[in-house]
Amino acid sequence: MPKPHVLRRLAACLSPGGLITDAHAVRPFETDGLTAIRERPWAVALPETAGQVRAVLGVCRDEGVPVVTRGAGTGLSGGARPRRDGVLLTLSKMRRVKEVDLDACTATLEPGVTNLAISEAVREHGLHYAPDPSSQIACSIGGNVAENAGGVHCLKYGLTVHNVLGLRVQTIAGDELVLGGKGLEQPGLDLLAVMIGSEGMLGVITEVTVKLLPLPPVKRVLLAAFGDLQAAGDAVSAIIAAGIVPAGLEMMDNPAIRAAEDFAAAGYPRDATAVLLCELDGPKAQVETDTERVRQLLETGGAAVRVARDEAERERLWKGRKSAFPAMGRLAPDYYCMDGTIPRSALAQVLGDIAELSAEHGLRVANVFHAGDGNLHPLILFDANEPGEADRARALGDAILRLCVRAGGTVTGEHGVGVEKLDAMCEQFSAAELDQFHRLKAAFDPRGLMNPGKAVPSLARCSELGGMRVHAGKLPFPHLERF
Amino acid sequence: MGEPRGDAWPRPDGLRLAVGTLAVDEAEALRAAVAEARRIRRPLGMVGHASKAFLGGPGGEPLSTLGHRGIVDYRPEELTLTARAGTPLAEVAHAVAENGQILPFDPPRFAGGVGGEGTFGGAIACGLAGPARPWRGGVRDAMLGVEIVNGLGERLRFGGTVMKNVAGYDVSRLMAGARGTLGLILSASVRLQPAPAVEKTYRLECDAEQADANCRRWARLPLPITGTCFLAGALRVRLSGSSQAVAVARAEMALATEDDPAVWEEVRDHRHAFFLESAAGPLTRVSVPRNRRFLREDALIEWNGCQAWLSESPPDELPEGAFATVFRGEPVGAAGAGNTADYARRLRRAFDPDGVLNPGIAS
Ligand SMILES: Cc1cc2nc3c(=O)[nH]c(=O)nc-3n(C[C@H](O)[C@H](O)[C@H](O)COP(=O)(O)OP(=O)(O)OC[C@H]3O[C@@H](n4cnc5c(N)ncnc54)[C@H](O)[C@@H]3O)c2cc1C
């Protein structure tokens, strides 16, 4: 356990009130969006400037104290879980939009700025920041960078990595790295790429420069109802193979459709086996051509198709999709949200296999997901008060992730490894590959003080467990839309 | 060594698989060559067609990737392609074009190589992108997965063929532009894009200043631009999309004169008169941040002003944040600035602790 003089040194780095150690006051920081996993932090540091971040890191380096960085704490894999012997470096006070550069179409932000605040700051100029995780009203841009967050529109506009031009990063050694900037290329190795998605393991991101894009002038949504999973899966591939890149392409299976319909009355056909929501955006002429082609493809694929006539109907159709997660609360007291990605063409096959696994484990599964990217979010429904159900849910979750790996996919598409998927990482990578990850980390953090024990399992121990459990309909961040 | 994964899975329809035993042995031979080089401490220099040797040779004992070739897996309906390092770029481009798709980074194919105009692995290692870079992304943006041999002689796989993947550090993207200093790329998976229905090139007579002003104004509007190129008193603009979308945009942008689309490939491959006329002299690329201007009437300026070519050595004065790369002539100090370079060197050692890979390439 670190000593009191360390606390004094830490406090001296920060503004008055910038260090919290009171057991009661640190409680809100015990967990991130993965609420099943809790730990009380030894101290919470709330820096206001990059200089303060650097000073805190310096003390931690000198004293050998572990550092866990936290943005908004909406992560779903336990990446920001604190340590009892460490500092939780929380960046929520650093939330200034430092610059909007209309000439370059960029915005430069402190790490605590929320995702949505970026688009709001530039909307008056007809611009937006494209990646839109559904936690966007709460999650921070620093956390988005650390997780390489996706969103409903990343099929067309890319992930965080495709929309970030530059970073400033503080390392535990006391260096400030300036990676990228406002240009497209950088000399030497692409350290910017490796920093994105690195889950707070390599350094603390203290500034982010993002690309801004023009707002699309026209958006159109189609709803397609299928009587057959295979047909719905094939339709996804058919749209992509036809050379159309929708802004979003989302799928829901029957349990999800019913739950969403009961909750939001979006006008979904309750008896459909699956529905696809396809959004097309861009210049009017292009959107009109594409909408007609998508309609034909969907109808040829056996779907009943509806095109939203106006903005109100478009929003209603999306509302059903966005309500699917909270709607689950009505089906079961708890659910566990998975996040695997598979090749699109394997969708029907994998969904069929998930149904079999669901029957085998005696637990219901609802599917609501980013079909266009093959990013599944199976929701395992259970009741933690029934003996053994939580364990069965976890076992079913593991089996589903194994299925994703076997289908040529991955154990996490956008939520990160954190502490939750350490075991699954052992499934996906060989010992030599994991070792290479550890050596990569050591190049930035030789003593392993940054977010220890996360993201990459040690070779000796691949056995930490956890889960996102939602009890009695009480979600973490109940005010957020769910995807 | 990485276990093959996913092989037991029933392959979906439309998958073309061409795993020959010979090629598998070739990958193993490459791995063994690196392991042996490490054992006897004799560094290797990886070569494909050597079409980009003018950027600086890799040094060391030459190790050719050409035997390890072929498209391993191409799924048009997934928009993904996996090919071995030694596959000629032309072969990859041809295969995807047949299915109405494109390699989004549109890598240059330089004449003057040995046995071809560039390999797939070489294109990824060099990280150079064509005229649509600001709109369709660079090599790193298209990377989905790699199989490499690191400096320890281990075969490692990172990423895969799926669109979203945050399991582990993003080693695949790191390989793009690393010029073989972190590992020998055995094969790589990239994301493709559909080819647009229509692609048109227009020409606008103007000076460099006006060209820049136009490009910046257009960048703020939702227009289907996929290329800009200023040269010798004229700006060429490429529009891509449905024929209606292109027609509407053309009217909006007041682009009267249609021009020869050949210019884009000629510039990409340095076959354009601008590059040929000065072939004996130096050639410099200037990479310019979006908020800066590098405007000269005698430069070739693409990428909305973010990339300029000069038929001379790097100028003494560059805009803040800009950097020069010598394509022909006396090389200047490479790699990133200050402490970034220190971390890059450490990263290199993390992949190649004994310095057996491409010793001639500075870091
Ligand atoms: C309701 C809900 C919906 C969601 N929907 C989506 C979605 O659609 N798509 C998606 O991708 N994710 C989604 N998420 C997950 C989560 O919102 C994202 O992962 C988000 O990027 C996390 O941001 P954060 O600021 O909350 O990060 P935190 O949870 O605070 O931290 C996440 C990780 O990033 C690290 N980190 C945070 N800030 C920094 C920094 N400045 N420097 C270095 N490391 C840092 C932390 O150490 C930790 O490892 C959702 C979550 C919820 C609760």
Side-chain angles (χ1 to χ4, degrees):
Chain A
M1 184 61 80
K3 302 179 194 82
H5 81 273
V6 182
L7 289 179
R8 281 195 298 277
R9 285 192 66 190
L10 285 169
C13 303
L14 298 156
S15 307
L19 190 74
I20 309 176
T21 51
D22 175 74
H24 189 68
V26 300
R27 180 148 305 155
F29 298 96
E30 283 180 354
T31 176
D32 61 6
L34 182 67
T35 51
I37 297 176
R38 288 180 179 276
E39 186 72 78
R40 177 175 302 171
W42 176 59
V44 176
L46 293 160
E48 290 171 7
T49 63
Q52 292 186 354
V53 170
R54 200 158 49 237
V56 168
L57 290 178
V59 173
C60 292
R61 177 191 63 239
D62 291 352
E63 306 284 351
V65 176
V67 182
V68 177
T69 309
R70 176 182 168 110
T74 69
L76 291 175
S77 53
R81 182 194 68 173
R83 289 175 66 97
R84 215 182 305 190
D85 60 350
V87 170
L88 187 69
L89 190 62
T90 302
L91 302 173
S92 53
K93 284 195 175 172
M94 294 178 65
R95 49 198 313 153
R96 241 175 357 119
V97 175
K98 291 175 120 172
E99 181 201 49
V100 174
D101 182 341
L102 294 176
D103 185 38
C105 289
T106 60
T108 299
L109 316 149
E110 288 188 340
V113 172
T114 62
N115 173 291
L116 188 62
I118 308 169
S119 287
E120 281 178 349
V122 300
R123 181 169 301 134
E124 59 179 308
H125 307 294
L127 299 169
H128 72 135
Y129 173 61
D132 56 346
S134 33
S135 49
Q136 67 179 164
I137 63 170
C139 66
S140 72
I141 186 67
N144 289 176
V145 172
E147 299 284 13
N148 190 17
V152 171
H153 292 99
C154 60
L155 178 57
K156 178 167 175 181
Y157 295 103
L159 307 160
T160 301
V161 68
H162 300 109
N163 290 277
V164 167
L165 294 170
L167 294 176
R168 278 176 195 264
V169 179
Q170 313 300 326
T171 68
I172 190 79
D175 294 310
E176 177 177 74
L177 302 180
V178 181
L179 309 178
K182 289 184 179 176
L184 296 170
E185 304 283 326
Q186 48 176 330
L189 293 178
D190 195 347
L191 298 186
L192 179 61
V194 84
M195 197 58 66
I196 297 174
S198 62
E199 301 198 24
M201 303 286 287
L202 308 181
V204 180
I205 297 150
T206 51
E207 187 184 286
V208 184
T209 298
V210 301
K211 186 156 88 177
L212 302 173
L213 295 176
L215 283 164
V218 176
K219 295 180 181 178
R220 197 64 48 86
V221 168
L222 297 93
L223 174 78
F226 291 87
D228 172 45
L229 267 184
Q230 184 70 48
D234 290 348
V236 171
S237 294
I239 291 170
I240 305 293
I244 296 164
V245 182
L249 189 53
E250 302 284 310
M251 197 194 286
M252 297 166 71
D253 69 2
N254 184 266
I257 295 169
R258 281 171 184 265
E261 196 51 25
D262 288 345
F263 194 87
Y268 295 169
R270 297 178 53 89
D271 51 350
T273 306
V275 295
L276 272 183
L277 268 183
C278 178
E279 178 157 294
L280 299 156
D281 74 7
K284 188 159 179 282
Q286 184 76 50
V287 172
E288 277 170 4
T289 325
D290 289 349
T291 305
E292 215 24 64
R293 289 193 60 207
V294 170
R295 181 216 288 276
Q296 282 166 14
L297 286 168
L298 290 168
E299 283 176 352
T300 310
V305 183
R306 209 166 92 205
V307 184
R309 280 166 309 237
D310 50 27
E311 192 54 23
E313 188 175 359
R314 189 181 81 84
E315 272 173 20
R316 199 161 57 245
L317 290 180
W318 273 117
K319 183 154 180 268
R321 166 68 181 83
K322 294 177 182 182
S323 313
F325 279 48
M328 290 306 148
R330 296 190 171 184
L331 296 188
D334 303 86
Y335 70 76
Y336 182 34
C337 173
M338 312 301 298
D339 169 46
T341 305
I342 55 167
R344 281 180 284 252
S345 53
L347 276 177
Q349 167 108 45
V350 170
L351 290 176
D353 289 355
I354 290 177
E356 272 178 33
L357 285 173
S358 151
E360 253 171 53
H361 287 75
L363 292 173
R364 286 176 300 166
V365 176
N367 287 287
V368 191
F369 60 98
H370 313 300
D373 312 299
N375 187 189
L376 301 176
H377 288 323
L379 299 168
I380 300 169
L381 307 177
F382 68 103
D383 181 352
N385 290 329
E386 289 294 316
E389 278 213 0
D391 290 341
R392 260 178 22 240
R394 217 169 277 143
L396 174 53
D398 289 347
I400 290 174
L401 291 184
R402 276 198 295 277
L403 202 60
C404 293
V405 175
R406 276 177 46 217
T410 176
V411 297
T412 172
E414 59 181 18
H415 294 166
V417 174
V419 290
E420 185 206 18
K421 270 155 285 194
L422 286 169
D423 285 347
M425 287 289 283
C426 307
E427 194 88 28
Q428 193 168 326
F429 293 98
S430 70
E433 288 156 355
L434 294 173
D435 245 357
Q436 183 63 70
F437 283 146
H438 289 301
R439 282 197 305 276
L440 187 159
K441 175 178 166 67
F444 290 85
D445 174 24
R447 286 165 63 201
L449 289 174
M450 300 299 298
N451 219 1
K454 310 273 178 68
V456 182
S458 69
L459 299 186
R461 183 165 165 275
C462 282
S463 62
E464 270 189 78
L465 289 171
M468 178 195 178
R469 278 184 22 204
V470 180
H471 189 68
K474 271 204 258 105
L475 297 158
F477 304 96
H479 55 300
L480 302 185
E481 294 172 342
R482 303 279 150 164
F483 280 79
Chain B
M1 192 191 303
E3 288 283 308
R5 280 164 293 256
D7 289 344
W9 194 255
R11 300 283 180 180
D13 287 342
L15 166 63
R16 295 195 220 145
L17 206 64
V19 184
T21 43
L22 203 144
V24 171
D25 290 343
E26 189 65 35
E28 182 48 31
L30 289 170
R31 188 205 63 76
V34 175
E36 178 62 11
R38 178 177 181 235
R39 197 180 65 81
I40 62 173
R41 296 290 193 271
R42 188 191 291 175
L44 295 170
M46 282 97 72
V47 238
H49 288 143
S51 65
K52 292 177 272 288
F54 56 84
L55 286 170
E61 194 85 0
L63 177 66
S64 172
T65 61
L66 293 181
H68 191 52
R69 64 177 282 175
I71 295 172
V72 182
D73 182 4
Y74 173 29
R75 311 184 195 191
E77 78 287 2
E78 295 284 346
L79 289 173
T80 60
L81 174 136
T82 305
R84 299 194 184 99
T87 315
L89 266 181
E91 187 178 322
V92 175
H94 181 74
V96 301
E98 277 200 321
N99 285 281
Q101 298 182 341
I102 53 172
L103 272 176
F105 48 94
D106 197 17
R109 287 185 242 161
F110 296 128
V114 183
E117 298 176 339
T119 60
F120 186 62
I124 288 165
C126 288
L128 301 177
R133 168 73 178 87
W135 301 275
R136 293 179 179 148
V139 180
R140 51 106 77 175
D141 296 302
M143 291 303 290
L144 297 174
V146 285
E147 184 178 11
I148 63 166
V149 179
N150 66 5
L152 299 174
E154 296 170 329
R155 269 171 83 171
L156 311 174
R157 290 200 211 183
F158 300 99
T161 58
V162 290
M163 295 293 135
K164 289 163 90 174
N165 192 345
V166 291
Y169 304 110
D170 201 341
V171 175
S172 314
R173 285 184 221 282
L174 187 57
M175 289 298 144
R179 299 189 60 200
T181 58
L182 304 179
L184 184 160
I185 298 171
L186 285 174
S187 64
S189 302
V190 294
R191 180 178 185 172
L192 306 172
Q193 285 177 13
V198 172
E199 205 149 72
K200 295 271 190 194
T201 301
Y202 302 97
R203 180 192 170 91
L204 204 67
E205 313 298 326
C206 58
D207 63 19
E209 194 101 12
Q210 290 161 329
D212 184 66
N214 277 326
C215 290
R216 280 174 199 272
R217 188 162 40 83
W218 292 332
R220 301 252 316 260
L221 303 171
L223 294 165
I225 300 174
T226 57
T228 67
C229 175
F230 170 81
L231 173 68
L235 173 67
R236 277 105 173 157
V237 184
R238 184 167 67 181
L239 301 181
S240 312
S242 70
S243 57
Q244 298 94 312
V246 168
V248 169
R250 176 192 188 179
E252 212 176 310
M253 297 162 74
L255 298 167
T257 321
E258 199 167 334
D259 204 7
D260 184 358
V263 66
W264 305 108
E265 282 193 9
E266 286 169 10
V267 168
R268 182 194 70 187
D269 300 344
H270 293 187
R271 283 184 283 109
H272 189 276
F274 173 86
F275 297 95
L276 299 181
E277 277 162 13
S278 59
L283 176 67
T284 299
R285 180 187 74 172
V286 182
S287 303
V288 189
R290 287 149 71 118
N291 59 330
R292 300 282 175 237
R293 286 167 178 74
F294 184 80
L295 303 178
R296 276 173 49 167
E297 299 303 324
D298 62 348
L300 188 155
I301 305 171
E302 0 169 40
W303 297 8
N304 263 356
C306 287
Q307 177 160 284
W309 297 94
L310 298 175
S311 323
E312 55 185 69
S313 300
D316 293 332
E317 293 249 324
L318 286 175
E320 191 191 334
F323 67 95
T325 311
V326 173
F327 272 60
R328 277 197 314 261
E330 275 306 302
V332 287
N339 58 14
T340 311
D342 293 340
Y343 282 82
R345 277 190 288 273
R346 277 185 230 164
L347 200 54
R348 183 172 182 175
R349 276 200 299 277
F351 281 84
D352 179 20
D354 302 309
V356 292
L357 303 172
N358 286 7
I361 293 171
S363 61

